Amino acid sequence: MEDPNWFTASIEAKLLDSELKTPLPAGGCAYLYSPPGTSNNSSEKYQRVMVWYFNVNRQGKLTTADITNWAKSAGGTPLKGTDPINNQTTTDTTGNNFDLPDTFSGWTKSTVVQVSGDNDHFGWEQTVLPAYTQGAQAKIDFALKADKAQAMARASVPGSTTSAGSDPTKALTLGLAAAFSTSAVVTNDEGYTAQLKVQGKLEPFTKDVKDAPPGKLHGISSSTVSGSVTNTTTGRQTKTPGAGVMAVYPLESAACDGYNGISVTGTDWQKPSYCAVELGSVEGTTLAPDASQSLKGTTLPQKLGTFPESGNAIAELNAPISFYMKFGNVGMASAGTNWKSDKGCLSSRLYGGATWNVVMDGWPDVICK
């Protein structure tokens, strides 16, 4: 039984996705558990996190099968533990409980544990959350770096001036990675179609003076982009497009260098309103009918500008307005390569033709309006 006194803070579950390899199922209640600990092979601090799903299998809620399928998609394997009777290692046979890969949170072993009965207690004193301690439940247990976990706790305080809530635009300013994902049905001018998905994250920018002149700094970060695609062209092999990801900033931001301008859809390419920082891309591929495939992505170091140390460049770099998936290049397209989507819009790029742009889920759409 979990000790309720060790649950130190409730946090916005959505904030966790920026630090996890696979985004969590929606509807979880997330808690920091126990004080921060120290790694056994370094001086780094970690914080345990538990994400609970209550009233599983009830109307309008996730099912045991939903969570099981999610665990498998995250790379889960049957949970291994110790049999309390013979003190031997045993492997779960229920099909509900999983070990997640060490890469899931980038820290250590993570687990998914479920109970499916209607009258089961699951690790809570009934006085802690009386309305939720009966019935089918699930718990995803993992660890994060303590500074990230504590930043999430600060961002989750209701009414706080630093509260992120479900607003992803505040993540970087709070020291958290900005996560992004979207999917779109894409179609080219010959009628081929595909379902394209991308996801990734941008780490907060920090200052670096090692290679900068005295009194100056560079803004450094890293970005990761990955994706997948499904051929939806009936009975036909399809060569699907690659896609890039960009962080969009107001034109006056320190992130803008004058060559990466973007115009609002329907306006002249010589009058950009925003600029873009390229975060990475996924490659196109050729797919058999109905086939799906993960796409090769990228992890990029980001190093921007040479800025005065006394200025606010880092704050500006950590304040993108939005993130977009982009594909196609109308200025350089040939027959069969001019792709568009069921959502988003075409907009002009300064000195670079035009691209189709799809805003990332949950982020404001400033280009297509």
Side-chain angles (χ1 to χ4, degrees), residues 84-100:
I85 297 176
N86 58 26
N87 202 32
Q88 303 242 338
T89 299
T90 182
T91 300
D92 176 75
T93 58
T94 67
N96 294 331
N97 305 318
F98 297 87
D99 282 318
L100 298 176

Side-chain angles (χ1 to χ4, degrees), residues 298-361:
T298 50
T299 297
L300 295 179
Q302 297 286 340
K303 185 175 182 179
L304 300 183
T306 302
F307 308 111
E309 276 193 272
S310 58
N312 61 348
I314 297 300
E316 292 182 19
L317 297 181
N318 282 325
I321 295 176
S322 194
F323 292 82
Y324 284 80
M325 173 175 71
K326 65 185 180 73
F327 51 90
N329 192 319
V330 174
M332 303 176 183
S334 58
T337 62
N338 186 13
W339 291 85
K340 60 182 181 180
S341 172
D342 62 328
K343 57 184 180 181
C345 66
L346 189 70
S347 68
S348 299
R349 306 292 297 273
L350 190 62
Y351 312 123
T355 58
W356 196 275
N357 310 283
V358 177
V359 70
M360 296 293 177
D361 297 343

Side-chain angles (χ1 to χ4, degrees), residues 3 18 32 37 60 72 81 99 143 149 174 184 237 274 276 307 315 334 344 353-354 358:
D3 183 344
S18 65
L32 301 187
K72 291 178 178 178
D99 282 318
L174 297 167
Q237 177 176 287
Y274 303 99
F307 308 111
S334 58
V358 177

Side-chain angles (χ1 to χ4, degrees), residues 62 148 152-154 188 228 260-261 311 314 366:
L62 290 175
K148 293 282 190 177
M152 291 179 193
R154 292 191 296 272
N188 77 359
S228 62
N260 52 359
I314 297 300
V366 295

Side-chain angles (χ1 to χ4, degrees), residues 12 18 28 39 62 114 119-120 139 165 224 239 248 284 289 319 324:
E12 289 274 356
S18 65
S39 169
L62 290 175
Q114 301 187 76
N119 296 305
D120 291 309
K139 176 184 68 173
T224 301
K239 187 174 182 180
V248 172
Y324 284 80

Side-chain angles (χ1 to χ4, degrees), residues 13 19 27 31 59 111 128 144 173 176 194 246 255 276 283 296 361:
E19 298 300 316
Y31 303 89
Q59 186 173 5
T111 61
V128 179
L144 296 177
T173 63
L176 304 174
M246 59 184 180
E283 296 181 350
K296 182 179 179 181
D361 297 343

Side-chain angles (χ1 to χ4, degrees), residues 76-367:
T77 54
L79 180 68
K80 290 185 178 180
T82 301
D83 188 319
I85 297 176
N86 58 26
N87 202 32
Q88 303 242 338
T89 299
T90 182
T91 300
D92 176 75
T93 58
T94 67
N96 294 331
N97 305 318
F98 297 87
D99 282 318
L100 298 176
D102 287 350
T103 54
F104 174 69
S105 69
W107 187 267
T108 186
K109 178 179 178 179
S110 308
T111 61
V112 178
V113 179
Q114 301 187 76
V115 293
S116 55
D118 251 355
N119 296 305
D120 291 309
H121 284 284
F122 187 36
W124 284 85
E125 292 280 2
Q126 194 168 6
T127 55
V128 179
L129 290 173
Y132 300 102
T133 53
Q134 299 287 329
Q137 300 168 31
K139 176 184 68 173
I140 303 174
D141 185 343
F142 52 91
L144 296 177
K145 289 185 177 181
D147 59 344
K148 293 282 190 177
Q150 294 300 320
M152 291 179 193
R154 292 191 296 272
S156 302
V157 175
S160 167
T161 57
T162 60
S163 177
S166 58
D167 182 356
T169 64
K170 297 181 180 178
L172 292 172
T173 63
L174 297 167
L176 304 174
F180 46 80
S181 64
T182 195
S183 64
V185 175
V186 296
T187 307
N188 77 359
D189 52 5
E190 293 181 329
Y192 290 90
T193 65
Q195 178 80 29
L196 182 63
K197 299 180 180 180
V198 296
Q199 61 275 326
K201 64 180 181 178
L202 173 66
E203 293 292 338
F205 280 91
T206 57
K207 75 173 184 178
D208 179 53
V209 299
K210 181 178 57 179
D211 298 322
K216 304 288 186 178
L217 63 83
H218 294 124
I220 59 170
S221 174
S222 66
S223 55
T224 301
V225 174
S226 60
S228 62
V229 65
T230 300
N231 182 1
T232 56
T233 310
T234 304
R236 289 172 171 80
Q237 177 176 287
T238 300
K239 187 174 182 180
T240 61
V245 172
M246 59 184 180
V248 172
Y249 291 83
L251 205 58
E252 64 274 13
S253 169
C256 299
D257 61 14
Y259 294 96
N260 52 359
I262 304 171
S263 298
V264 173
T265 184
T267 59
D268 192 277
W269 67 274
Q270 293 177 309
K271 297 179 181 179
S273 300
Y274 303 99
C275 77
V277 171
E278 306 294 335
L279 302 183
S281 62
V282 292
E283 296 181 350
T285 190
T286 299
L287 289 174
D290 302 317
S292 297
Q293 182 179 317
S294 295
L295 297 175
K296 182 179 179 181
T298 50
T299 297
L300 295 179
Q302 297 286 340
K303 185 175 182 179
L304 300 183
T306 302
F307 308 111
E309 276 193 272
S310 58
N312 61 348
I314 297 300
E316 292 182 19
L317 297 181
N318 282 325
I321 295 176
S322 194
F323 292 82
Y324 284 80
M325 173 175 71
K326 65 185 180 73
F327 51 90
N329 192 319
V330 174
M332 303 176 183
S334 58
T337 62
N338 186 13
W339 291 85
K340 60 182 181 180
S341 172
D342 62 328
K343 57 184 180 181
C345 66
L346 189 70
S347 68
S348 299
R349 306 292 297 273
L350 190 62
Y351 312 123
T355 58
W356 196 275
N357 310 283
V358 177
V359 70
M360 296 293 177
D361 297 343
W363 287 84
D365 190 352
V366 295
I367 296 175

Side-chain angles (χ1 to χ4, degrees), residues 41-60:
N41 58 7
S42 76
S43 60
E44 284 197 288
K45 295 280 189 180
Y46 69 89
Q47 178 85 60
R48 280 185 68 191
V49 180
M50 292 187 182
V51 183
W52 294 74
Y53 295 84
F54 302 111
N55 296 323
V56 171
N57 297 327
R58 296 186 180 177
Q59 186 173 5

